[in-house]
Amino acid sequence: MYQLPPALPPTPQAHVDKARSLLDRSVGASKILHLPESCERFSRDESEAEGRIPDLVVLAESAEDIRATLAAAQEARVPVTPRAAGTGRTGGAVPVAAGIVLDTTRMNSIVEIDRGDLVAVVQPGVILKDLHSAVEREGLFYPPDPNSVDSCALGGNIAENAGGPRAFKYGVTRDYVLGLDATLMGGTALRLGRRTVKGVAGYDLAGLFVGSEGTLGVVSSMTLQLIPKPEMVYTLFGLFSAPKDATRAVEAIIQRGVVPRCLEFTDGGALEAIRRQGVGIDPSAGAMLLIEVDGDESACDRDMVKVGEACTEIGAIDVLVAQDGVQRDKLWAARRELSRAIRELARNKLAEDVVVPRSRITDLLEAVERNGAEHRVRTLAYGHAGDGNLHVNFLWDEDDEVPRVQQCIEAMMRDVVAMRGTISGEHGIGVLKIPFLPIEQSEELIAVQRRVKDVFDPYGLMNPGKIFATSSHRGC
Ligand SMILES: Cc1cc2nc3c(=O)[nH]c(=O)nc-3n(C[C@H](O)[C@H](O)[C@H](O)COP(=O)(O)OP(=O)(O)OC[C@H]3O[C@@H](n4cnc5c(N)ncnc54)[C@H](O)[C@@H]3O)c2cc1C
């Protein structure tokens, strides 16, 4: 859909045949898929990126399977695309050069939860909600909570540096990664980082791997920091006539010294998608804030009053407190499904996840509206207002609208960078945002990052065609 760089060439059959024969011996044929009909579902993720059907899929069950796969791939010169749960929004797990998809979903053990050290050790295929449940049963808390929490896995969270609604108060995945076991193309296994909160020995390579979108190596185990579980959570929602009132309320809440754990914004178009999911929301509301405060009872009571005052001062139509867990879960379920619900509003949609300094959110919404009117493209926005991270959606029905949609998105990217924001807050660059990276980053900075990748992956076989424009890999 975007004007993407030229597609990467497929992997030559002779290379694939060699890799298959090596893998049959080292990993075992029972863990390898090779029929196109079995491999087809690994050609896509939850984005609009179009990939190729992989030649082979390895269903890794251990760190040794990962090591053996990366050794065979380098020997046979076959590209490898690591994959966790496939919920990515920018095509990171989409194999654009075919080759091998290295699936890690069978590596789904929570190896350890240490209540003394406040540490969890997990494999990359663990579904995030399973980790949440396991640590919360111990009175502990792992804050990162992308809205795909029920379906995404830790390997993908690390590779994308996933955020989520709780990032405003608690930070993103990077803030909880202490150490990683990672294997490089060719099979060299490295232990990065550490198990302690403090530690400054050598370069922070664990930090570099977080958010590297599977382009440097494959993670087989991660050591994560936990914190005590907050005693209580209160959920409120404020209804406003217009988006700018909701964004002013965000400022007013923060100015009162409250740091809510979530400050989620929904504009009128996105509210419509929520209503269509059967959640009754006042028809006069043109924007909503979903707010959560947590802590002990007195802190929650105090913060809830301040949030209510701030919303009322701005002229909220209504401020409601979720009366029980059922009401709270219903609202969150609707919020978490919003991305999929918006798909029902038009034949096509593209969602961007830009960030601006929080003080510029109203400016961003105005710019999106202005660009939408100029290019005659339907837009709507929702997202993590506390972080200034909005998911701006572009909707269209007919193919001849595509050039206008592209212009509209590019105009927004330029506006975001001019406001000193960034083109991606949590979804990564993947395939879909490659054309926009040069809007934000200089040629020199992109060149340095390419050189960093070369150090880890000199043959360019590790998830090629992601983050940076590439027209070849050494397997072709
Ligand atoms: C409805 C919906 C809501 C979402 N909400 C949010 C949100 O609120 N916040 C947010 O941040 N994201 C969100 N996402 C995006 C997505 O869920 C996250 O990016 C998530 O972290 C991806 O995890 P995954 O397991 O699906 O990874 P995949 O899609 O399988 O892979 C993502 C990337 O990780 C790499 N990778 C996977 N495993 C490994 C490994 N073991 N080693 C090295 N690299 C690896 C892949 O190559 C790819 O580049 C949402 C997605 C959906 C569909």
Side-chain angles (χ1 to χ4, degrees), residues 141-472:
F141 196 47
Y142 176 71
D145 66 333
N147 279 314
S148 50
V149 54
D150 291 348
S151 51
C152 67
L154 266 302
N157 292 175
I158 300 285
E160 299 291 359
N161 189 18
R166 299 199 291 233
F168 177 51
K169 178 165 182 180
Y170 290 107
V172 294
T173 301
R174 173 172 285 119
D175 300 309
Y176 295 88
V177 176
L178 299 174
L180 298 173
D181 287 346
T183 306
L184 306 186
M185 180 55 69
T188 303
L190 299 173
R191 178 151 286 182
L192 310 175
R194 55 204 185 270
R195 192 185 160 96
T196 53
V197 171
K198 282 182 146 182
V200 291
Y203 291 140
D204 180 11
L205 295 189
L208 178 62
F209 260 65
V210 178
S212 63
E213 304 192 35
T215 60
L216 301 180
V218 181
V219 172
S220 58
S221 168
M222 47 212 89
T223 304
L224 305 171
Q225 189 190 346
L226 306 173
I227 59 173
K229 187 178 169 201
E231 261 175 51
M232 306 191 63
V233 184
Y234 288 164
T235 306
L236 301 90
F237 46 112
L239 297 176
F240 301 85
S241 325
K244 71 172 176 354
D245 295 337
T247 54
R248 278 174 56 220
V250 168
E251 285 301 308
I253 290 167
I254 292 165
Q255 274 163 14
R256 280 177 154 74
V258 182
V259 183
R261 79 168 181 183
C262 306
L263 249 179
E264 295 287 294
F265 166 82
T266 310
D267 79 357
L271 268 188
E272 201 43 50
I274 293 188
R275 289 190 186 102
R276 285 185 184 210
Q277 292 179 75
V279 181
I281 292 174
D282 186 332
S284 66
M288 181 174 89
L289 288 181
L290 179 54
I291 307 150
E292 282 197 341
V293 294
D294 68 359
D296 62 28
E297 192 171 356
S298 66
C300 283
D301 284 343
R302 186 194 61 223
D303 288 350
M304 191 172 67
V305 169
K306 287 186 181 178
V307 167
E309 283 170 1
C311 292
T312 311
E313 175 191 287
I314 301 299
I317 299 172
D318 212 347
V319 184
L320 306 155
V321 181
Q323 292 306 312
D324 52 34
V326 177
Q327 202 177 20
R328 174 173 184 263
D329 290 349
K330 196 170 174 193
L331 257 181
W332 271 110
R335 166 64 187 90
R336 291 198 190 280
E337 282 305 309
L338 194 47
S339 163
R340 291 182 178 117
I342 289 169
R343 287 219 171 107
E344 308 296 316
L345 299 180
R347 269 186 50 217
N348 302 294
K349 78 146 189 166
L350 264 171
E352 300 294 344
D353 77 312
V354 294
V355 191
V356 290
R358 200 175 40 244
S359 58
R360 305 298 302 269
I361 297 182
T362 309
D363 296 338
L364 171 63
L365 290 170
E366 283 172 5
V368 168
E369 204 179 321
R370 199 171 49 243
N371 294 332
E374 184 180 331
H375 298 286
R376 289 176 290 125
V377 176
R378 195 169 152 206
T379 62
L380 58 83
Y382 63 94
H384 318 303
D387 308 316
N389 181 196
L390 287 193
H391 300 307
V392 181
N393 284 247
F394 299 81
L395 310 177
W396 74 101
D397 290 313
E398 305 303 332
D399 293 347
D400 63 3
E401 295 176 73
V402 168
R404 282 191 274 119
V405 174
Q406 287 178 334
Q407 287 161 8
C408 195
I409 295 176
E410 185 173 331
M412 177 188 69
M413 294 302 187
R414 292 191 185 284
D415 289 335
V416 161
V417 172
M419 290 179 207
R420 304 173 83 175
T422 176
I423 62 172
S424 178
E426 48 185 27
H427 292 165
I429 302 300
V431 181
L432 293 180
K433 290 191 214 286
I434 287 175
F436 304 124
L437 191 61
I439 296 177
E440 177 175 335
Q441 297 192 346
S442 69
E443 224 173 277
E444 293 78 8
L445 180 55
I446 293 175
V448 168
Q449 292 173 90
R450 282 181 186 278
R451 295 216 306 272
V452 170
K453 177 167 165 61
D454 282 348
V455 169
F456 288 90
D457 175 31
Y459 295 96
L461 295 169
M462 200 66 252
N463 209 0
K466 310 296 161 65
I467 307 181
F468 315 110
T470 318
S471 56
S472 67

